[in-house]
Amino acid sequence: MSKKKSFTLGELPGAKIWTLAFFIYLYAPMVVLVVYSFNENRRVMNWTGFSLDWYAKAFANDNIQRAAWNSLMIALVATVCAVTIATLAALILGRRNNFRGKDTSTGLISLPLVVPEIATAVATLCFFAVVGIQLGLISVIIAHTVFCIPFAFLPIRARLEGMDDTLEQASRDLYANDWQTFRYVTLPLLMPGIFAGAMLSFIISIDDFIITLMVAGAGSTTLPLYIYGMIRRGITPEVNVISTVMLAISIVFITAYWLLTRRQSVTTH
Amino acid sequence: MKKLLIAAVSSAVLSFAASGAYAAGELNFYNWTDYTPDDLLEKFQKETGIKVNLDTYDSNETLLAKLKSGATGYDLAVPSQNFLEIMVKEGLLEEANVASMPNYKYVDARFKNPTWDPEQKYSSPWQMGTTSFVIRTDLYDGDCSSLKEFFEPTGKAVGQLGVFKTPEEVMNQAHLYLGQEMCTEKNEDFKALQKLFEGQKPAVKIYSSEGTPDRIVDGTVVMSSGWNGDMFNARTKEGGTTVKYCYPKEGVVGWFDSLVIPKGAKNIEAAKKFMDFVMKPENMALVSNFASYANAIPDSAPFLNPELADAPELKVPNGIPIAFGQSCGEKYIKAVDKIWTKLLQ
Amino acid sequence: MNLPQNPATRRFLGLLPAWLVIGIFMVMPMMILLVFSFMESDPYGGVDPGFTIEAYRQILFDLNFDDELEFDPVYLIIIGRSILLALIAVFGCLIFGFPVAYYITRQERRVQNMLLYLVTIPFWTNLLVRTYAWILILSGDGVIEQPLKSLGIIENSLEMMYTNGAVATGLVYSYLPLMVLPIYASLEKLDFRLVEAAHDLYASRFQAFKQVIVPLAKPGIIAGCILVFVPSVGAFIAPDLLGGGKKLMLGSLIHLQFASSRNWPFGGAIAMLLLAFVMIALLWQLRSARKRMEESG
């Protein structure tokens, strides 16, 4: 790297500034959103002073509390269901084995990722109408479980694929039965993947809007639905407050996920 | 530690399932946005111990679509008179036997046993009002004396017009403007309607049924579809002093919204209690003071915001026709749907 | 506790819950929607029994008010707009995202990780919230127009909200991370000695870029384009919030049929059409991936 030093494609002309602009574009809207949540004025874009009043107001609002509680519970139940189903499936599909139907099964599990959300939403609505399941919490939880499965499945399978099976074999050599091997060897090794899958499912569920919009019924308003209702009605800093809280939740979870998978890749290498 | 966590989570989930939305002592109320005063719900809870959960919708069409798609579990909803008839016909409502309720005696005789619910089996009165359009007198020059200004906008209204997102009420305004019968089934009429709305579209900035007071007050639009009570609130409570609710010579659309109990309601007794509760004059006054519409309980007058008494928004001038929306036949509904879907393309 | 010994039984039991849940609550609903799209619509919502292809015919030919069948471009316009806006989103993401992905690969490991983390965060945050943020930016008293107005640079509103441009901006913003990540993944494997070698052979900078980098990044670019195209073409939030309800896209058209127009068969037919577009895009990707595999032997 002597005379060719002038040629550094890695520093494509302006790539640095471009990247900087990119990150500004990516984050500026969120910063604006957060900043204006501290506006005291009812007209959100009319800055008149710093205030925490809208936070106090939002946190004291019964309907917001109820929506938050709904969101949390739906996400929790859907995550538990999705992770259980995904773990079972990953234990079969994540091993280096081949059997008839393996590709089909993997394809089926990724189906919710492929189908456009709005199509899933209206199809699920029609299904509930045909089967006669009332729209409400149950219908929302079912729908969320379905589209959380692939998000739970992928990290768990990745973890399994990266795991070597010497420990499991050692366990069997020591006359542990299958269940004991699973419980005391496989599962602990798999845990980071399961946690990662749970984080993703949780975020995906708590953020979901379109499917929830179509299949929600009495008493199952979630935070995103509540925010949507508020936006349509006219915007106040209160919308920014809830939005900021939702951003914070997502960022905390995705950071946890990030740290988890990074530690995982460090330990496997 | 782990066991503790599992126990905590599962007990939370269980209590969630049990407390759920359907538990006794809760009422799921599905109403239009900005139509339900908090103090009314609080008072109801204080008196009866029943907690009211509120969900909102933006139009009669949305309400009907939601109920038809099986969103049962709502204990109360508030359709307008024409959609109430459809819901009765489609078997979407529980009987409430309002006529036998103690506070029914307060209802104005003119509104007892109305045509849309002749035996007062299903519905109790909520609010009534009119639909027309509004202008900003400081930003728009016309005097809004004709629907022509709304449907064929000129000058500063072009590109600054807000129209409702669903067709029902605007369609009725169009019938008034074009001198057509309500529920017309004539093909020429449909063609004229289609031409009218497509001519209006280039001037339209937004199709939306919610947030109209905000948009007219902050100047996002200078002319907009609107309900009279909303616009009273925009002028008085939101400081839009130059907001004018228009009474075009062709007329305004009238509506009467009622409380009903959708089929599949989980808490019919509580819903009936609420209906009765609302018919009490001081309670009905809470609703009118919040939403700023007229009501069918004359004895509520002493409790009303005095400004409402002589608000121009609530007084239709003499000689201005009021046309009430009707429940129309299938051909009409399909034609309107077609016109509207094509319009929004 | 003992687990079943037979591997086939084990497989069956392990996969059964996933098959059941996705089969019943995902595949079956799709079938039902397909069936509904061939039924007659009930004017008040739902479907009436009876087989008809009216919902599909309606996409191209509609009965006019004289009861004559005529060609009707309205829905073609919506389809066209959806595809066009989705392509604009793809293109915008590519232009904006490619140099960034490239830049990231050229950083040291720690910085790379940090930057990737920053790229993924928006992807995992609420789409509705992020689109809402654009209302604050684009609206008449938003953060762009307010300073311009107070400085006297503009007098009247720039009217950025409720336009196709606003929708496209929202789409690009929504799905940008989906473009950057796959391109990064394929560029990461790029051996930069190749680029230097190309330059040694007196290739110009542009040639080196075209001949070396682009082919290597191609799988990532294709994957990114598909990942952006699929959600964009069925988008609902951006056209709804930023388009003012008068620039329908396929997603909003479907939603409208179920949420207020109550024409389920037509909504179902459009959903099937959308699904077909997505499948075509995916098959195309699969085919090009397979072709690459064959080429590389």
Side-chain angles (χ1 to χ4, degrees):
Chain A
M1 297 291 285
S2 49
K3 67 178 171 82
K4 287 271 156 59
K5 210 171 177 194
S6 63
F7 178 74
T8 38
L9 245 174
E11 285 147 37
L12 265 176
K16 196 168 186 175
I17 293 178
W18 192 268
T19 306
L20 193 69
F22 172 87
F23 280 109
I24 291 174
Y25 174 70
L26 218 51
Y27 282 92
M30 294 196 224
V31 172
V32 170
L33 185 83
V34 175
V35 167
Y36 279 90
S37 70
F38 297 106
N39 188 2
E40 60 155 24
N41 200 311
R42 206 192 90 85
R43 312 220 77 82
V44 64
M45 292 315 289
N46 190 359
W47 181 270
T48 46
F50 179 88
S51 151
L52 287 172
D53 289 357
W54 292 101
Y55 278 84
K57 214 178 151 198
F59 288 133
N61 183 329
D62 260 7
N63 288 315
I64 293 178
Q65 282 177 10
R66 189 168 60 103
W69 179 244
N70 280 345
S71 277
L72 202 68
M73 279 302 147
I74 291 167
L76 209 63
V77 178
T79 301
V80 170
C81 298
V83 167
T84 311
I85 295 169
T87 309
L88 282 173
L91 281 168
I92 310 292
L93 297 170
R95 307 284 188 168
R96 263 174 244 108
N97 57 356
N98 246 325
F99 57 91
R100 212 160 57 90
K102 186 174 180 180
D103 287 348
T104 321
S105 300
T106 313
L108 189 74
I109 287 172
S110 349
L111 196 64
L113 290 179
V114 179
V115 178
E117 230 190 321
I118 185 79
T120 312
V122 297
T124 313
L125 176 73
C126 293
F127 171 78
F128 287 140
V130 168
V131 181
I133 296 179
Q134 281 187 359
L135 298 187
L137 282 169
I138 304 294
S139 65
V140 176
I141 289 174
I142 292 175
H144 280 218
T145 302
V146 173
F147 67 74
C148 282
I149 289 175
F151 286 95
F153 175 76
L154 293 175
I156 301 175
R157 189 183 62 169
R159 176 81 190 167
L160 262 170
E161 280 171 345
M163 245 163 64
D164 67 38
D165 52 1
T166 37
L167 275 176
E168 287 171 302
Q169 264 162 22
S171 160
R172 271 188 220 104
D173 290 345
L174 291 168
Y175 300 104
N177 68 23
D178 282 354
W179 168 250
Q180 286 165 330
T181 305
F182 173 75
R183 173 69 185 80
Y184 296 105
V185 181
T186 320
L187 199 61
L189 280 173
L190 204 55
M191 250 351 197
I194 294 180
F195 265 116
M199 302 277 164
L200 290 192
S201 299
F202 191 85
I203 304 177
I204 287 290
S205 163
I206 216 158
D207 277 347
D208 179 75
F209 167 63
I210 295 171
I211 293 177
T212 319
L213 177 72
M214 294 311 299
V215 302
S220 51
T221 298
T222 60
L223 271 183
L225 288 195
Y226 194 81
I227 295 177
Y228 182 63
M230 289 181 92
I231 296 174
R232 284 178 313 166
R233 208 157 87 206
I235 50 182
T236 63
E238 207 172 356
V239 188
N240 293 42
V241 169
I242 318 178
S243 302
T244 304
V245 172
M246 294 222 54
L247 284 184
I249 295 173
S250 303
I251 290 174
V252 165
F253 270 86
I254 197 61
T255 308
Y257 166 79
W258 187 263
L259 293 174
L260 213 64
T261 45
R262 262 188 63 193
R263 216 186 55 205
Q264 183 183 334
S265 65
V266 170
T267 48
T268 46
H269 284 304
Chain B
M1 174 61 205
K2 203 182 255 174
K3 285 220 172 95
L4 205 68
L5 189 73
I6 293 173
V9 168
S10 48
S11 67
V13 169
L14 281 179
S15 71
F16 176 59
S19 81
Y22 304 141
E26 294 207 4
L27 192 61
N28 287 311
F29 187 14
Y30 199 32
N31 198 355
W32 300 65
T33 9
D34 291 330
Y35 211 17
T36 326
D38 285 339
D39 46 2
L40 180 82
L41 305 185
E42 279 159 22
K43 190 173 173 202
F44 182 68
Q45 184 170 7
K46 212 174 276 167
E47 283 183 19
T48 61
I50 300 168
K51 190 177 174 311
V52 183
N53 300 324
L54 182 66
D55 279 340
T56 58
Y57 54 88
D58 70 341
S59 65
N60 280 313
E61 284 100 329
T62 306
L63 169 64
L64 178 60
K66 199 80 188 174
L67 292 184
K68 274 297 269 188
S69 64
T72 50
Y74 290 112
D75 299 309
L76 284 168
V78 186
S80 305
Q81 75 287 346
N82 43 346
F83 277 72
L84 203 161
E85 276 183 67
I86 296 176
M87 287 172 193
V88 171
K89 208 166 73 187
E90 290 287 295
L92 294 170
L93 302 181
E94 299 276 357
E95 288 191 20
N97 208 358
V98 175
S100 67
M101 291 180 182
N103 290 330
Y104 185 62
K105 60 175 184 276
Y106 293 112
V107 177
D108 190 336
R110 286 180 299 159
F111 297 106
K112 281 184 171 164
N113 302 328
T115 48
W116 52 87
D117 186 10
E119 293 163 58
Q120 206 84 53
K121 262 202 295 201
Y122 300 99
S123 67
S124 74
W126 179 255
Q127 298 270 282
M128 57 186 165
T130 59
T131 306
S132 182
F133 67 102
V134 285
I135 56 163
R136 276 279 296 265
T137 50
D138 53 337
L139 299 174
Y140 174 75
D141 301 327
D143 61 355
C144 72
S145 61
S146 164
L147 277 169
K148 187 176 171 61
E149 292 174 58
F150 178 67
F151 283 112
E152 297 169 38
T154 50
K156 290 185 179 149
V158 174
Q160 306 293 330
L161 176 62
V163 176
F164 282 149
K165 192 178 183 177
T166 48
E168 182 219 339
E169 293 165 278
V170 215
M171 208 48 86
N172 287 334
Q173 285 180 287
H175 296 323
L176 285 174
Y177 176 52
L178 297 173
Q180 298 169 344
E181 272 175 46
M182 298 269 164
C183 298
T184 173
E185 301 209 339
K186 290 192 202 120
N187 289 332
E188 306 83 73
D189 286 352
F190 294 142
K191 276 191 252 177
L193 287 166
Q194 187 165 33
K195 215 175 130 212
L196 183 69
F197 282 107
E198 274 168 13
Q200 183 197 33
K201 191 183 178 188
V204 176
K205 189 175 203 177
I206 181 169
Y207 288 98
S208 170
S209 307
E210 291 162 308
T212 20
D214 272 20
R215 277 190 298 273
I216 193 83
V217 170
D218 70 19
T220 305
V221 294
V222 306
M223 182 190 282
S224 173
S225 298
W227 297 302
N228 59 338
D230 252 8
M231 293 309 141
F232 171 85
N233 285 346
R235 180 173 62 85
T236 57
K237 299 180 192 167
E238 293 187 40
T241 44
T242 54
V243 170
K244 181 180 173 195
Y245 186 74
C246 303
Y247 286 107
K249 61 177 189 286
E250 295 87 350
V252 292
V253 176
W255 44 260
F256 190 102
D257 292 348
S258 311
L259 282 167
V260 296
I261 307 179
K263 263 260 148 48
K266 284 289 182 304
N267 212 339
I268 295 179
E269 283 317 305
K272 285 184 183 170
K273 260 188 207 157
F274 190 83
M275 286 173 142
D276 191 40
F277 170 82
V278 171
M279 284 189 286
K280 215 169 170 190
E282 57 265 43
N283 298 337
M284 185 55 96
L286 288 177
V287 185
S288 282
N289 287 340
F290 173 78
S292 307
Y293 298 101
N295 64 55
I297 310 285
D299 288 351
S300 69
F303 306 100
L304 288 181
N305 172 3
E307 275 185 83
L308 284 175
D310 34 41
E313 287 86 357
L314 270 73
K315 271 214 176 59
V316 181
N318 282 336
I320 301 290
I322 307 177
F324 273 78
Q326 292 163 15
S327 84
C328 306
E330 282 192 18
K331 183 173 178 192
Y332 176 84
I333 292 175
K334 287 202 164 173
V336 165
D337 176 40
K338 189 187 272 184
I339 293 172
W340 205 254
T341 307
K342 287 191 177 171
L343 179 70
L344 295 186
Q345 55 89 6
Chain C
M1 196 189 295
N2 270 310
L3 301 179
Q5 288 305 314
N6 182 347
T9 319
R10 228 186 255 194
R11 260 179 233 146
F12 176 76
L13 290 177
L15 291 176
L16 188 67
W19 273 91
L20 277 183
V21 169
I22 296 184
I24 295 178
F25 298 115
M26 180 88 202
V27 179
M28 224 158 84
M30 288 296 166
M31 306 281 192
I32 290 173
L33 191 62
L34 182 68
V35 172
F36 274 15
S37 70
F38 288 105
M39 287 171 84
E40 276 165 28
S41 87
D42 178 328
Y44 301 118
V47 288
D48 287 339
F51 174 88
T52 168
I53 56 156
E54 192 186 311
Y56 290 90
R57 193 205 61 210
Q58 206 182 330
I59 297 173
L60 282 180
F61 300 94
D62 208 355
L63 282 177
N64 66 14
F65 291 119
D66 294 325
D67 283 326
E68 294 157 346
L69 212 52
E70 65 173 14
F71 175 71
D72 183 352
V74 166
Y75 301 116
L76 280 184
I77 292 172
I78 297 178
I79 295 167
R81 176 186 298 122
S82 301
I83 293 178
L84 189 73
L85 280 173
L87 288 178
I88 290 175
V90 166
F91 203 66
C93 288
L94 186 61
I95 299 282
F96 211 9
F98 187 90
V100 176
Y102 188 81
Y103 178 81
I104 295 177
T105 50
R106 299 301 294 141
Q107 306 305 308
E108 57 170 299
R109 197 79 209 167
R110 219 172 41 83
V111 181
Q112 274 191 22
N113 274 331
M114 197 56 218
L115 292 176
L116 284 178
Y117 167 68
L118 287 176
V119 172
T120 36
I121 282 185
F123 173 70
W124 293 108
T125 53
N126 193 300
L127 184 59
L128 183 70
V129 166
R130 284 190 294 139
T131 311
Y132 164 65
W134 278 96
I135 299 183
L136 304 179
I137 294 176
L138 297 175
S139 67
D141 52 0
V143 285
I144 295 182
E145 290 197 16
Q146 237 177 41
L148 291 178
K149 271 180 187 158
S150 56
L151 288 174
I153 297 173
I154 55 165
E155 211 170 291
N156 292 320
S157 171
L158 297 172
E159 303 293 349
M160 289 179 292
M161 270 294 275
Y162 310 133
T163 58
N164 280 329
V167 178
T169 311
L171 288 178
V172 170
Y173 182 71
S174 304
Y175 303 117
L176 202 45
L178 292 175
M179 182 64 88
V180 175
L181 296 176
I183 297 183
Y184 164 82
S186 58
L187 279 180
E188 189 207 20
K189 296 181 210 117
L190 176 69
D191 186 344
F192 277 85
R193 279 171 302 185
L194 276 176
V195 182
E196 276 163 27
H199 194 58
D200 282 340
L201 296 168
Y202 300 100
S204 75
R205 191 178 278 195
F206 177 71
Q207 273 172 325
F209 183 76
K210 208 182 116 192
Q211 310 271 332
V212 182
I213 298 176
V214 170
L216 283 169
K218 206 171 151 197
I221 293 176
I222 293 177
C225 289
I226 300 289
L227 285 178
V228 174
F229 181 83
V230 168
S232 296
V233 77
F236 165 70
I237 296 176
D240 192 59
L241 291 185
L242 303 175
K246 54 179 178 160
K247 302 282 178 200
L248 287 190
M249 288 176 66
L250 284 172
S252 19
L253 182 63
I254 296 169
H255 174 255
L256 194 68
Q257 299 311 313
F258 286 86
S260 60
S261 299
R262 307 180 305 279
N263 190 341
W264 290 24
F266 185 56
I270 299 285
M272 288 301 142
L273 194 72
L274 175 63
L275 211 56
F277 286 135
V278 169
M279 289 305 154
I280 291 171
L282 288 172
L283 285 176
W284 178 69
Q285 184 204 15
L286 209 66
R287 223 191 52 174
S288 64
R290 202 165 279 157
K291 227 165 69 187
R292 264 197 317 278
M293 294 255 283
E294 278 161 17
E295 276 167 12
S296 63

